[in-house]
Amino acid sequence: MKRTAPLLIASIAGFVMIVAYFIPRTQTWGEDVSVWFDILAAIAFILGGGNLLRVQLKKISDRRPGWAYAAITLIAFVVMLTCGLLKIGSHPNEQHPAFAWSGTYNQTGTPFWWMYEYLIVPLQSTIFAMLAFYVASAAFRAFRAKNVEAILLLGTAFVILLGRTAAGVFLTDFIPSDVLIEDPTFMQHLISTLRLENLTVFLMDIFNTAGNRAIMIGIALGTASVSLKILLGVDRSYLGSGED
Amino acid sequence: MHNPIRWMGRWSAASALVLLAALALGGPCQPAWSQDPEPTAEPTIQEPTAEAPTEGEQALAPDEAAAAPVEAGAEATTGATPARSESMQWIDEHIFDLDRGWLLLVVLIFCGSVVFWIAHARSGRPVKVRKIAGLEAVDEAVGRATEMGRSVLYIPGIQDINEIQTIASMTVLARVSRTAAEYDAKVEVPTARSLVMTTARETVQAAYLSAGRPDAYNQDLIYYVTDEQFGYVAYLQGLMVREKPAACFYMGAFYAESLILAETGNSIGAIQVAGTAMPAQLPFFVAACDYTLIGEEFFAASAYLSGSPEELGSLKGQDMGKMIVAGLLILGVILATLASIFPKSDVLQNIVNYLMQNVLT
């Protein structure tokens, strides 16, 4: 029963979603199933919060290395949760001025908004900004010309990088552009393709798109196959692979 | 008074069958009078019966009934288009969305192929699958972690359990944890979603059980960190730098964090195996990881690792689907090429237009 019930729920929900896509009458059923998932996910937030508290409290009580960070995490968690749930500092909604809690928790000026704007957003931006350095180090390693394939990759990357910058336009500015010619011949069109910015577009539209589409088709078929396995109960890995 | 719109919208089995028959004969299911080009007599609006409203329905007051949406303008008086209420339009709707008919056909062919091959494999006939280097490396990576006395870090992406990649990731996690249980290595699974945490716990516990080492299972090693994308990344970076895991697995849906994680893992010298179906992140994983499962390889992992006939059969069905798609692609390319070589051929142009506007949309 422990495995049969979830399997049935998953199968029914999955088939309802498929049917809802093809039969307009049942569209609302599909929406209902999505809402049920949202409810489940909302309940799971409590589970996640509880686990976060448990893990961090254990770290503090065991005095494990870095336990002070766990304390900071807990304090931040509690403060953020309190400000958000109790809507501290938020003004009542204009349509319901008599109700003190009718305003939104994240409206401008509230402590929750302040912490989000001035603590979380800068921290996120910092991590995201680090990506630029990681891209550089990964590119350095990937573009080492060790064999023919690596040399081709390096050359293509060089063209793309140049073509995406102003330097590319400047370097091949002397090649005539067929855009300026009223009725360009095939040869004129071919020559204008040698401009770095046009070469970049050519590489991205032809070679890159062809490779990308092959991967996308594989992914789409793989997704459909896995989905079907789940709906038919062949793949039960999401329930754990043990017996009842 | 009964709500006329609800009244008209009520379906009986007979009307559904009639519509189904009309659908099978082709063409939209419109009332016969709407297709009549000749002006007819006064347009009629169906009068509702005086049934008592059923539960959940509210009776309309006379003024509300008058305000019920009815299109009875000048066109109606000329007879070009009869008066139509919303209820009539409602009846006009198809049972099936015909715009998605071709997609339905493709889905049926593909699913049929998968089901056929599953049945074929169940009958006991052997199914051969090529080796996938990335999956072969799972044992190597866990073995290395055991030798070095360090942990294995498994990251199941940042999406929830409703994402198919996360579910596929659980299968790989089952294999990784089973191998770790056999080798007595520590597997740590920080998750970005609480539902994923629960699923991962079930999966790892079952893996330890099947490896005959339920006592070694520690649920505290599978825990929730945060839903925030970069908060999760910051935690993982810190964990990697502090704990220096010997093997890192990135299996699931990743976004901008993919390269940050893979590069951090690379900098600590961990053996790294990645698998994702996010095309934009694949180059990053290829550049920074030792093995990468590209797109469909990642989805094939569950079948490949389980080795069960049903799963392998589904993989074969997937390959058959690819063959069909490849055949259709070649056919489409030939037709489109011929249409461009012979631009005056209306037949070719019409076929290509039909394919572009109906089949591919």
Side-chain angles (χ1 to χ4, degrees):
Chain A
M1 190 63 190
K2 190 186 164 192
R3 288 168 65 80
T4 310
L7 267 177
L8 272 176
I9 292 169
S11 293
I12 292 168
F15 279 116
V16 163
M17 294 293 274
I18 294 172
V19 167
Y21 188 75
F22 291 109
I23 302 178
R25 294 272 184 283
T26 57
Q27 198 175 350
T28 51
W29 299 0
E31 286 162 10
D32 287 343
V33 170
S34 301
V35 171
W36 292 343
F37 177 79
D38 290 344
I39 294 168
L40 195 67
I43 293 167
F45 267 120
I46 300 166
L47 184 72
N51 182 258
L52 185 85
L53 286 174
R54 190 167 163 271
V55 170
Q56 305 301 333
L57 283 171
K58 196 165 188 310
K59 264 187 193 170
I60 295 169
S61 70
D62 292 352
R63 288 285 192 278
R64 277 197 271 170
W67 66 269
Y69 295 114
I72 293 169
T73 305
L74 274 186
I75 292 165
F77 176 74
V78 171
V79 170
M80 199 87 187
L81 193 71
T82 311
C83 290
L85 278 181
L86 301 181
K87 295 182 178 177
I88 292 171
S90 66
H91 298 289
N93 189 316
E94 285 178 9
Q95 291 177 334
H96 308 282
F99 297 96
W101 278 27
S102 56
T104 52
Y105 66 96
N106 57 352
Q107 68 187 123
T108 309
T110 59
F112 185 91
W113 173 86
W114 193 92
M115 285 187 288
Y116 185 80
E117 285 291 322
Y118 296 112
L119 290 174
I120 293 181
V121 171
L123 286 171
Q124 286 182 330
S125 305
T126 307
I127 298 284
F128 193 69
M130 286 163 66
L131 194 57
F133 299 99
Y134 286 118
V135 167
S137 66
F140 178 74
R141 212 172 31 255
F143 295 151
R144 271 183 295 190
K146 289 179 284 189
N147 48 36
V148 179
E149 288 88 353
I151 292 168
L152 281 174
L153 186 68
L154 175 64
T156 312
F158 191 68
V159 170
I160 301 279
L161 286 172
L162 270 180
R164 294 273 191 219
T165 59
V169 179
F170 176 74
L171 284 172
T172 50
D173 200 30
F174 62 92
I175 298 173
S177 167
D178 71 345
V179 179
L180 304 172
I181 304 162
E182 197 167 306
D183 190 15
T185 62
F186 176 73
M187 208 55 203
Q188 284 167 329
H189 182 70
L190 203 65
I191 290 168
S192 75
T193 306
L194 294 175
R195 287 169 72 106
L196 275 173
E197 70 270 25
N198 293 344
L199 206 55
T200 300
V201 173
F202 177 75
L203 286 170
M204 293 300 286
D205 283 357
I206 308 297
F207 297 101
N208 182 58
T209 306
N212 219 8
R213 279 187 184 155
I215 292 172
M216 291 298 288
I217 289 169
I219 288 170
L221 292 173
T223 305
S225 176
V226 172
S227 306
L228 196 64
K229 278 192 290 179
I230 291 164
L231 294 183
L232 296 176
V234 174
D235 186 348
R236 303 173 183 192
S237 55
Y238 64 99
L239 298 172
S241 46
E243 298 303 319
D244 290 55
Chain B
M1 192 179 175
H2 201 282
N3 184 336
I5 295 170
R6 282 174 187 269
W7 180 84
M8 287 296 289
R10 191 174 292 163
W11 279 86
S12 66
S15 60
L17 280 173
V18 169
L19 277 176
L20 196 61
L23 190 78
L25 292 169
C29 305
Q30 287 184 328
W33 44 261
S34 71
Q35 295 166 351
D36 186 359
E38 294 297 319
T40 55
E42 281 291 311
T44 55
I45 300 173
Q46 188 76 46
E47 284 296 324
T49 59
E51 280 180 50
T54 54
E55 191 180 344
E57 294 178 340
Q58 286 186 336
L60 280 182
D63 55 340
E64 287 174 320
V70 171
E71 291 175 13
E75 284 179 347
T77 54
T78 60
T81 307
R84 294 165 65 79
S85 71
E86 278 189 359
S87 55
M88 290 172 187
Q89 289 175 3
W90 197 84
I91 279 179
D92 283 355
E93 282 181 14
H94 303 121
I95 290 178
F96 291 105
D97 187 345
L98 290 180
D99 292 340
R100 292 169 180 172
W102 279 104
L103 179 63
L104 181 65
L105 185 69
V106 171
V107 167
L108 288 177
I109 290 172
F110 179 70
C111 293
S113 160
V114 172
V115 171
F116 168 79
W117 278 100
I118 289 174
H120 177 87
R122 271 183 180 161
S123 68
R125 289 171 215 173
V127 180
K128 197 179 173 186
V129 180
R130 74 174 170 89
K131 284 195 171 186
I132 299 174
L135 294 173
E136 294 288 315
V138 168
D139 293 349
E140 181 194 333
V142 179
R144 188 180 165 206
T146 313
E147 283 171 9
M148 295 173 79
R150 290 195 199 154
S151 62
V152 173
L153 181 66
Y154 190 96
I155 302 167
I158 60 163
Q159 291 288 289
D160 218 329
I161 200 69
N162 60 334
E163 169 67 44
I164 203 79
Q165 294 182 61
T166 312
I167 295 177
S169 174
M170 290 300 117
T171 311
V172 184
L173 174 62
R175 172 58 178 257
V176 169
S177 353
R178 187 175 172 160
T179 312
E182 285 165 358
Y183 291 178
D184 198 20
K186 190 174 92 169
V187 182
E188 193 157 357
V189 190
T191 67
R193 309 281 167 163
S194 41
L195 280 177
V196 178
M197 176 191 78
T198 316
T199 314
R201 280 182 173 177
E202 290 282 336
T203 305
V204 176
Q205 189 177 18
Y208 271 77
L209 195 66
S210 64
R213 299 209 57 217
D215 52 308
Y217 169 66
N218 179 7
Q219 72 163 13
D220 290 343
L221 290 174
I222 303 150
Y223 51 91
Y224 167 80
V225 180
T226 172
D227 276 52
E228 286 294 329
Q229 183 188 17
F230 290 119
Y232 184 57
V233 173
Y235 175 83
L236 291 174
Q237 272 189 300
L239 183 76
M240 283 182 192
V241 172
R242 283 193 307 272
E243 307 270 332
K244 292 195 169 43
C248 295
F249 291 90
Y250 312 106
M251 300 278 174
F254 290 90
Y255 293 88
E257 70 283 356
S258 61
L259 188 61
I260 302 177
L261 297 174
E263 273 297 290
T264 310
N266 194 292
S267 70
I268 59 166
I271 184 167
Q272 303 196 100
V273 185
T276 188
M278 308 299 280
Q281 307 308 321
L282 282 170
F284 297 137
F285 278 140
V286 170
C289 294
D290 299 290
Y291 300 96
T292 307
L293 302 172
I294 297 171
E296 58 169 332
E297 284 184 337
F298 175 49
F299 291 118
S302 60
Y304 188 88
L305 292 173
S306 76
S308 72
E310 290 96 340
E311 296 252 12
L312 291 176
S314 72
L315 203 55
K316 214 71 183 168
Q318 190 180 323
D319 284 347
M320 194 56 79
K322 259 191 292 182
M323 297 276 280
I324 294 166
V325 169
L328 290 173
L329 273 176
I330 292 167
L331 186 70
V333 167
I334 291 170
L335 283 170
T337 309
L338 286 175
S340 64
I341 293 171
F342 306 107
K344 288 179 183 172
S345 169
D346 289 340
V347 178
L348 280 172
Q349 295 296 334
N350 287 340
I351 292 173
V352 171
N353 286 342
Y354 184 80
L355 287 174
M356 298 285 281
Q357 289 162 15
N358 294 283
V359 181
L360 294 178
T361 51

